Amino acid sequence: MLNALRDPLKYGFAVGRIKVRETKMLGLNRIDRLVSASNFADQKRILAETDYGSFFQEATTPEDVEKALNDYLAIVYEFLEEVYPDKQILSYFRSRYDFHNLKVLLKAKYGEKTAEQIWSKLGMLETEEVKKAIEEGELEGIAEPYRSALYEAMERFEQDKNSQQIDIVLDKALYKHLYEAAKKQKNKFFTGFVRSSIDLVNLKVFLRAKSLNRESKFIEDAFLDRGFLEKEKLVSIYYDSLDIAVNMLKETSYAAIVQESIVGQEFDPDLFDKKVDDFLVRYLQPAKYIPVGLEPLISYIIAKENEVKVLRVILIGKLSGLSAQTIKERVRVQYV
Amino acid sequence: MGETFLGFNGYQWAVFAASLSVIFGGIGSCVGIASAAKMSAGVLAEDPDKFGGLLVLSILPGTQGIYGFITGLLVVVFFGLLEGDGKSIVLAQGVRIFLGCLPVMIMCLVSGIFQGMVSTAGVSLVAKRGEAAGQGMILSALVETYAVLSLVVSLFLIMAAQSG
């Protein structure tokens, strides 16, 4: 009851703004048109009707598309910074980019090549400063929780010389940070969202490790705590067939994701990622019917990021000559 | 001073009744309007054309404050609180006035807040579909009914208290 009194006063303005912005999202109709457009120039014409238009005027290559989408997302975050009453929610979402950046930078320091790029504008850390600090090993100037995560990752890497340790340590730090940030908001919907995301990361690690025939110790090591799934249960069925895993997951909402991302007997990580995004967007859908509160704010961020992902698939797919049918299969579920 | 009940004499009970009617009705309306208006401001920042519908939605929870005001004012006028020392109001009458004002006090407080919630939902509806403003208003007005009913009963009870 108290929340019902507080929420409109705390979130009303921000929710009012994003509810209007939500109506300007791409929508199924435009997505369909984008998918069936005959070429990239046609797609640009369709995008010109939306607020994406100005970002794509000069774009011709996949790199341009990436850049335009990142610039667009940066503007979205700028807007969110302006309207959201509680900066903590945003710092929660932005820290994901920071941890991602740290991963890329650390790997670069150790001479690992990665295809992934830095999200310079989306994180909160100053990328140039952090880059310098990491190269020189002087981490004093970096804020928590990043600093201790970096120390641990570097230490683990020095021992093993295995870049996977960097991923594991930073992922663990990221999800611990996210969970704590969500818990502070005392919002079931939000914590549920984070815990489900943790489960889905765990499941991905589980299935990937399985398809690569790794030792079960690997998933024990990489397992993220604080999700709904229990570590022991997953580890105990690690060497069993995939059917058993699917069966065990029947009581959760993840069984379908796992089942559908196994093609033949092979696990398809890309398909899994798509199913995960679909699942999370579906998780957010009830927020559409909450008139005011934290839920619509969170949903908007995820919905917007998802929209950018969808656009990336469609535009780059078209640029690289994929058929409309193939692109359609890869497109994710939409929030609006 | 005459007889007292819980430390108040008849005149003081009447003043108490008038004040609380205005205060509780006012609180209900303030909370209701604030929640609807704050969200309306957000919507207007993006889409100023929706002002008409949003104004009505935001103003609807305001009536409870007016009902509280009417009740308070009637008590002042009917029982001559402005002139005299109020000796004319005996204890029994003062308590009856207070009890008569209770429907407005409680119902305007509660319905004002809840109407604010429905109006806020209406604002969210208008943000999505501008043409739905009328529907949002009707839904919000449904809550209004009970504030009106409480006002009617309070007025009758006050008149009854006046006629002795």
Side-chain angles (χ1 to χ4, degrees):
Chain A
M1 178 69 200
L2 266 184
N3 277 357
L5 285 179
R6 188 203 59 189
D7 283 355
L9 299 178
K10 187 167 176 194
Y11 302 114
F13 184 74
V15 174
R17 292 194 70 172
I18 62 137
K19 289 268 175 189
V20 178
R21 295 255 169 150
E22 265 177 12
T23 60
K24 294 180 184 155
M25 287 179 65
L26 287 179
L28 290 176
N29 187 10
R30 271 214 194 86
I31 301 255
D32 273 349
R33 279 170 61 206
L34 282 168
V35 170
S36 46
S38 52
N39 53 37
F40 184 58
D42 262 359
Q43 289 181 322
K44 280 209 288 194
R45 261 191 292 281
I46 297 170
L47 284 178
E49 303 160 8
T50 68
D51 53 354
Y52 284 95
S54 56
F55 294 86
F56 285 95
Q57 272 164 3
E58 311 289 327
T60 48
T61 64
E63 290 76 34
D64 294 342
V65 171
E66 285 287 352
K67 190 180 168 300
L69 288 173
N70 290 348
D71 288 348
Y72 178 80
L73 215 48
I75 298 286
V76 170
Y77 268 97
E78 235 169 68
F79 162 71
L80 299 174
E81 285 285 350
E82 186 192 319
V83 299
Y84 278 26
D86 193 343
K87 301 293 177 234
Q88 261 204 326
I89 313 168
L90 272 182
S91 78
Y92 158 93
F93 286 97
R94 300 189 82 164
S95 67
R96 294 174 309 164
Y97 295 103
D98 280 326
F99 275 103
H100 172 90
N101 288 348
L102 293 181
K103 263 189 211 172
V104 178
L105 290 171
L106 257 191
K107 286 183 187 168
K109 171 187 163 93
Y110 293 121
E112 298 269 339
K113 279 208 182 110
T114 128
E116 289 166 289
Q117 49 163 341
I118 284 190
W119 303 85
S120 53
K121 287 180 200 155
L122 299 176
M124 290 171 294
L125 296 170
E126 284 290 331
T127 26
E128 283 311 310
E129 269 175 39
V130 176
K131 201 171 171 181
K132 213 171 137 227
I134 287 180
E135 272 164 15
E136 291 167 4
E138 297 281 335
L139 302 180
E140 289 310 313
I142 297 176
E144 288 291 359
Y146 308 111
R147 188 176 9 148
S148 36
L150 276 177
Y151 272 127
E152 199 190 334
M154 286 161 99
E155 201 180 300
R156 293 272 286 270
F157 182 83
E158 307 280 341
Q159 280 170 12
D160 278 21
K161 300 287 173 215
N162 182 353
S163 69
Q164 234 154 22
Q165 293 295 341
I166 296 178
D167 286 332
I168 292 175
V169 171
L170 290 182
D171 272 346
K172 279 190 174 169
L174 166 66
Y175 281 98
K176 179 170 173 249
H177 177 64
L178 297 185
Y179 178 76
E180 277 163 10
K183 225 174 100 185
K184 246 186 232 155
Q185 297 291 333
K186 296 201 178 105
N187 182 304
K188 260 199 192 149
F189 177 84
F190 193 13
T191 25
F193 176 76
V194 176
R195 292 184 72 186
S196 285
S197 323
I198 292 176
D199 283 341
L200 292 165
V201 175
N202 281 334
L203 279 177
K204 189 177 177 185
V205 171
F206 176 86
L207 293 168
R208 259 215 124 133
K210 213 164 150 46
S211 71
L212 295 172
N213 288 325
R214 286 172 169 277
E215 303 262 309
S216 70
K217 196 183 160 305
F218 174 76
I219 63 157
E220 266 180 68
D221 202 32
F223 192 89
L224 305 171
D225 298 320
R226 299 173 185 86
F228 292 109
L229 294 176
E230 287 164 35
K231 181 177 182 175
E232 289 73 29
K233 263 195 183 167
L234 268 189
V235 174
S236 71
I237 56 157
Y238 182 69
Y239 290 111
D240 297 332
S241 77
L242 280 171
D243 295 341
I244 293 181
V246 172
N247 239 339
M248 188 199 88
L249 291 169
K250 280 254 160 68
E251 56 201 63
T252 68
S253 14
Y254 313 126
I257 304 178
V258 175
Q259 205 156 27
E260 286 164 20
S261 59
I262 296 167
V263 186
Q265 280 301 309
E266 284 296 304
F267 168 64
D268 180 345
D270 289 336
L271 196 57
F272 183 81
D273 283 345
K274 175 187 176 291
K275 295 280 170 211
V276 165
D277 284 337
D278 291 352
F279 175 85
L280 291 176
V281 167
R282 279 203 199 95
Y283 178 92
L284 298 172
Q285 224 117 44
K288 258 201 287 192
Y289 306 105
I290 297 176
V292 63
L294 185 62
E295 293 85 350
L297 298 183
I298 295 169
S299 306
Y300 182 71
I301 304 181
I302 304 284
K304 226 40 203 169
E305 287 184 347
N306 198 54
E307 185 181 78
V308 166
K309 271 187 202 164
V310 168
L311 260 189
R312 179 177 294 123
V313 170
I314 298 178
L315 298 178
I316 294 185
K318 193 64 76 181
L319 272 174
S320 40
L322 293 180
S323 74
Q325 188 55 36
T326 325
I327 296 176
K328 203 169 185 144
E329 281 162 16
R330 295 191 188 175
V331 165
R332 289 153 164 84
V333 171
Q334 288 298 294
Y335 173 65
V336 175
Chain B
M1 276 296 280
E3 281 180 286
T4 61
F5 173 60
L6 297 176
F8 295 118
N9 63 21
Y11 172 75
Q12 286 163 333
W13 274 109
V15 173
F16 203 34
S19 307
L20 285 187
S21 299
V22 179
I23 291 173
F24 284 149
I27 293 177
S29 283
C30 283
V31 175
I33 291 185
S35 69
K38 193 154 183 206
M39 188 149 165
S40 298
V43 176
L44 289 174
E46 296 290 325
D47 190 353
D49 295 341
K50 291 185 169 147
F51 182 67
L54 293 179
L55 176 70
V56 179
L57 275 171
S58 304
I59 228 169
L60 274 174
T63 49
Q64 278 80 349
I66 298 173
Y67 299 159
F69 169 74
I70 293 175
T71 313
L73 203 64
L74 285 183
V75 172
V76 172
V77 174
F78 280 11
F79 300 96
L81 300 189
L82 281 179
E83 67 256 12
D85 48 12
K87 272 186 190 146
S88 57
I89 305 175
V90 295
L91 177 66
Q93 197 180 22
V95 172
R96 277 180 76 182
I97 297 170
F98 183 81
L99 294 177
C101 288
L102 268 183
V104 160
M105 287 180 209
I106 297 174
M107 276 316 295
C108 286
L109 173 68
V110 175
S111 71
I113 292 171
F114 278 95
Q115 195 173 13
M117 288 178 195
V118 181
S119 275
T120 309
V123 173
S124 145
L125 174 69
V126 174
K128 284 228 148 111
R129 295 193 295 122
E131 72 280 6
Q135 295 162 1
M137 285 172 213
I138 291 172
L139 293 177
S140 177
L142 294 180
V143 189
E144 181 78 27
T145 322
Y146 302 93
V148 178
L149 297 184
S150 72
L151 174 70
V152 171
V153 171
S154 278
L155 290 186
F156 280 129
L157 291 175
I158 292 169
M159 285 193 274
Q162 191 196 23
S163 56

